[in-house]
Amino acid sequence: MARSLKAYTDDYMKLAEAGENVAQMQLGLLFSTGQKGAPLDYVTAHKWLNLAALRGNGEAKRLRTELADVMSREEISEAQRQAREWVLTH
């Protein structure tokens, strides 16, 4: 049976909040593709991919670049602001 979106994100969110870059990348993928029934949210996806890339995840860096190609400048700026805020609070 498929896991619910909440169960999936709860598991990854705990690890991502702890700074685990693979979990951060997985959240980025979730929100950039709508996997597991997640809403498409490019700003949130870019934020998580950016954080994973900052921690050395090369795949997240590649995915972030691809995602940025379909985002507006305003969306990218907001995602970067959210990533900086996350770094300052964690």
Side-chain angles (χ1 to χ4, degrees):
M1 183 168 171
R3 295 180 62 209
S4 72
L5 173 62
K6 181 174 177 0
Y8 187 84
T9 55
D10 283 353
D11 288 347
Y12 279 109
M13 191 62 70
K14 289 175 190 171
L15 293 169
E17 289 289 337
E20 210 296 311
N21 74 62
V22 173
Q24 291 170 336
M25 185 186 72
Q26 289 299 323
L27 286 175
L29 280 170
L30 177 78
F31 289 108
S32 68
T33 62
Q35 289 178 1
K36 308 286 184 187
L40 285 177
D41 184 343
Y42 291 161
V43 171
T44 299
H46 191 282
K47 175 191 90 173
W48 285 116
L49 291 171
N50 196 28
L51 292 167
L54 288 171
R55 284 170 176 68
N57 189 310
E59 181 69 4
K61 184 176 181 180
R62 185 187 66 76
L63 293 168
R64 179 190 61 189
T65 300
E66 286 182 14
L67 182 59
D69 287 342
V70 298
M71 296 173 69
S72 69
R73 287 182 182 170
E74 292 80 15
E75 289 172 320
I76 293 168
S77 292
E78 176 59 20
Q80 290 171 336
R81 184 196 66 74
Q82 288 181 18
R84 282 190 304 273
E85 184 178 299
W86 189 92
V87 168
L88 290 173
T89 59
H90 289 81

